[in-house]
Amino acid sequence: MSLLHLAIISPLLLALLVPIFYRYFRQIHTGWFLLPLPILLFIYFLQFISHTKNGEVITETAPWIPSFGVDFAVRIDGLGLLFALLITGIGSLVVLYSVYYLSKEHEKLNTFYIYLLLFMTAMLGVVLSDNLIVLYAFWELTSFSSFLLIGYWYHRERSRYGAQKSMIITVLGGLSMLGGILLLHIMTGTFNISEIILQSGDIVNHVLFIPAMLCFLLGAFTKSAQFPFHIWLPDAMEAPTPVSAYLHSATMVKAGIYLVARMTPVFAHDGIWIWLVAGFGIVTLFWGSFSAVKQTDLKGILAFSTVSQLGMIMSLLGIGAAALHYPQLDDSFYTVATTAAVFHLVNHATFKGSLFMVAGIIDHETGTRDIRRLGGLMNFMPITFTLAIIGTFSMAGIPPFNGFLSKEMFFTGMVRVLEMDIFNLETWGFLFPVIAWIASVFTFIYSMVLLFKTFTGKHQPDKLPKTPHEAPIGLLISPIILASLVIVFGFFPNILSHNIISPAMESILPGLLVEGQAFDVHIYFWHGFTVELFMTIGVIALGTLLYFTYPKWSRVYGIFTERFSLNRAYDSLIENSQTGSYNFTKTYMNGSIRTYLVYIFSFFVFILSVSLVAKNAFVYDTSNVSQIRIYEIIIVLIMAIASVTILFAKSRLTAIILLGAVGYSVALFFVVFRAPDLALTQLVIETVSVALFLLCFYHLPKKRHEERMSFKLTNLLISIAVGAVFTLIALSAHSSKFFEPISQYYVENTYEKAAGKNMVNVILVDFRGFDTLFEICVLGIAALGIYAMIKLRMTRGKEG
Amino acid sequence: MKINDVILQTATKLVLFVIILFSIHLFFAGHYYPGGGFIGGLMTAAAIVLLLLAFDLKTVAKILPFDFKKVTAIGLLFAVGTGAGALLFDAPFLTHAFTDAYLPLLGKTSLHTAVLFDIGVYLVVIGVTLTIIQTIGESE
């Protein structure tokens, strides 16, 4: 247990104290007590930059379940550190923002901050764990705390729906990831990521390699809201805005990105990985940006925008992984996609975080987030407007903000796909830049919609619940910090490149560098007149054109939404699985004992007959069969006649008497086969049970008239089958005796050791007396049961 | 009109002892000849049932003032006690012991702890049978 471990679980420990703060310091907003922790953690993690910059990796291990190879192993490298800084940095800003956003009088702040701290620990654990099982545990904790945070206003129906949806989808992916972890463990024998990476070259031809990869990808895609699993993210917007800003833009949805980046060295040796990651990413990019344009809710636009940007990062990671297949590293020609991915990851966190906070401010100050009711807010909220300009322009990829830089590099990466000659990328690879370009046009449109529909145009005071005015300074601090980072990273991107991006790339693409070499990450504003520049110009030109002609082509969405609604597919899947399983259960669990007996007997017959046939087990051997005597034939005939007559008896009384006849015939059999004890017992017991049957018969309700047993074909078939199967089994069991019976021992020792001559009785009380002890217990229980049933009969009315 | 079943009652009084003697015989003969605790117990119970048929529940309860649930419990106690007794002599549970003894009146007699166990079985069977029959008979 090191300081690093403590840093990861410190939010969890602080969460224990939150109820105390909330209960005993009511006059101070609980958020203030938490604010120092993420700031301290941020500073703590900052100091690792000097290590990771030189390619050092810090590892710490604390034993957890050593016998299973599960240790709380923590590893700080470039990638983990980048995420840890994002989590703690944005976490600090979000806590600060939430202090002003959530009212201390009306909200249950204790639960909110406990969930938030829980989430912070979970997220730090995910990105810093080196052990896959520990990573999985933290991964599920993020799903769980996200579920709690989305459902924070649990009295709203939409919140509960969104929470449930996100839970179902992310846990689906989480469990699949667990499967992938176990498959990796089978292949490599370790849970340790760094050790697995070392073996990655050996397992690539293993039969479980592709299944493991698919399991991991399902986990990453559901968590990062990739198409078609993105549907939970827009519904998660029911959460309070600080939560949306933190979880659903900057951190949790990037856990899938993290996983893909972390697993790239393991899986990217196979072309399927590159195709799947890049393909799903690019489709998500397009679908997210396309769907965002039609949204009317600010947070809805931002949610689809997040989906789209995550798709963009994902596709970049996929393309960037192709660099692993080019051993020579010529001027970062193919690694530029990875650089873009990491750079855009940081950029997206900054501008999307600030945009969510802006949306929260608008909601807070006007009472609505519907862009059809908003408009002309520029004059009321100048600072918010400025922040929104920076955020949206960066998102749209307009210079001079950081989004422009990462979008240029994105285009560069996509254009370079055209030059790749591996995994059939030369045939269909041209789709990547084309789709990327179209998606960027839509990105431009929705960014402009977000900005201009909200802040310009006509002010409609009658439609707004509140009179708009500028937000208090406290709410503005966090977005101002994020927006200034947008500008700083825009103008001075190289402060990031060597400190953050290059070490992170080393984690994603290890083994490409020779000793002393570093990734040449240098980000310029000006490339000269390249293809990318013309693409950007095209995006802005076409985007502006489409923005102004939006009313003319908006009908496109009318056609698409109904037909391609994944939400409808999800809802009907949930509903159909519920009604389907309900109907299925209702069909076979119909409450009739007859049906259940049919199942049980058919199963018996099926299993036994199939195994008889499959094992070729039927034998028939008459060599040790004894002579059949005339008495036996007579008794069998009597029993057969009595049994058959029972089936056709019209009166129940006849059936009871015939049953008695069968029982006495069995007693006769015991006599014939020389079992006097059994014969005696059988006679008495048969008498008693017939008397009890008569008792039951006497007390039957009077109105039931006697009638013959009704005929059912299934009953007949099943009973014949049961009889036949058991006859066959008895015949083969008798025909194949493998061992001498042990009865010789009893014959020899009954008098010698137990001083008795009645062997049956000696076995019952001496050799096997233990069984008898519990048989008399059974009798006692039966007697007490009958006594209790009859004496303690509660009248229905009394018990209710 | 009162039914006069003097013949049944008188016959019962005579036959009862024969049945009980037979059941005791079955019980004691069990270790050497067909019989034993189970069938012996059933026979004794049958004798009492005959008494029930000839007279009525209240009369029989007066003649035999036993709570048959307790008889069951005592029987189980006998069986378990015999088993547990072996533990005192450092032997496994339910180890039986026997010896030949010269008793004053009976002469050479074989004594066996299995008989104690069988008494348990005997009492349980009587208790169970009569509990069931009495309970059903009393219920309306």
Side-chain angles (χ1 to χ4, degrees), chain A residues 688-708:
Chain A
V688 171
S689 47
V690 167
L692 288 176
F693 271 126
L694 288 173
L695 192 72
C696 295
F697 171 75
Y698 182 73
H699 286 290
L700 278 178
K702 289 285 176 287
K703 58 187 166 190
R704 291 188 62 158
H705 60 282
E706 299 265 324
E707 62 181 22
R708 192 166 283 137

Side-chain angles (χ1 to χ4, degrees), chain A residues 595 597-609 718 722:
Chain A
T595 321
L597 286 177
V598 168
Y599 299 152
I600 293 170
F601 283 127
S602 337
F603 184 74
F604 253 57
V605 169
F606 175 74
I607 287 291
L608 292 176
S609 54
I718 286 174
V722 169

Side-chain angles (χ1 to χ4, degrees), chain A residues 594-633:
Chain A
R594 180 184 169 265
T595 321
Y596 301 154
L597 286 177
V598 168
Y599 299 152
I600 293 170
F601 283 127
S602 337
F603 184 74
F604 253 57
V605 169
F606 175 74
I607 287 291
L608 292 176
S609 54
V610 164
S611 37
L612 259 187
V613 172
K615 295 277 175 190
N616 203 9
F618 182 70
V619 260
Y620 183 60
D621 176 18
T622 49
S623 62
N624 59 352
V625 171
S626 59
Q627 194 70 38
I628 300 172
R629 289 168 297 171
I630 185 74
Y631 312 111
E632 289 148 23
I633 295 172

Side-chain angles (χ1 to χ4, degrees), chain A residues 5 8 59-76 124-139 177-178 181-182 184-185 189-196 216 258-259 262-263:
Chain A
H5 288 104
I8 291 175
T59 52
E60 297 279 356
T61 304
W64 183 24
I65 316 172
S67 52
F68 285 123
V70 178
D71 294 310
F72 189 1
V74 181
R75 178 186 159 95
I76 289 196
L124 282 175
V126 165
V127 299
L128 296 179
S129 297
D130 198 26
N131 191 296
L132 281 172
I133 293 291
V134 177
L135 188 147
Y136 172 72
F138 282 119
W139 183 278
M177 193 180 97
L178 179 63
I181 290 170
L182 297 177
L184 267 186
H185 184 255
T190 176
F191 284 123
N192 220 311
I193 300 174
S194 35
E195 289 172 25
I196 290 173
F216 267 98
Y258 168 80
L259 191 72
R262 184 56 91 196
M263 287 294 152

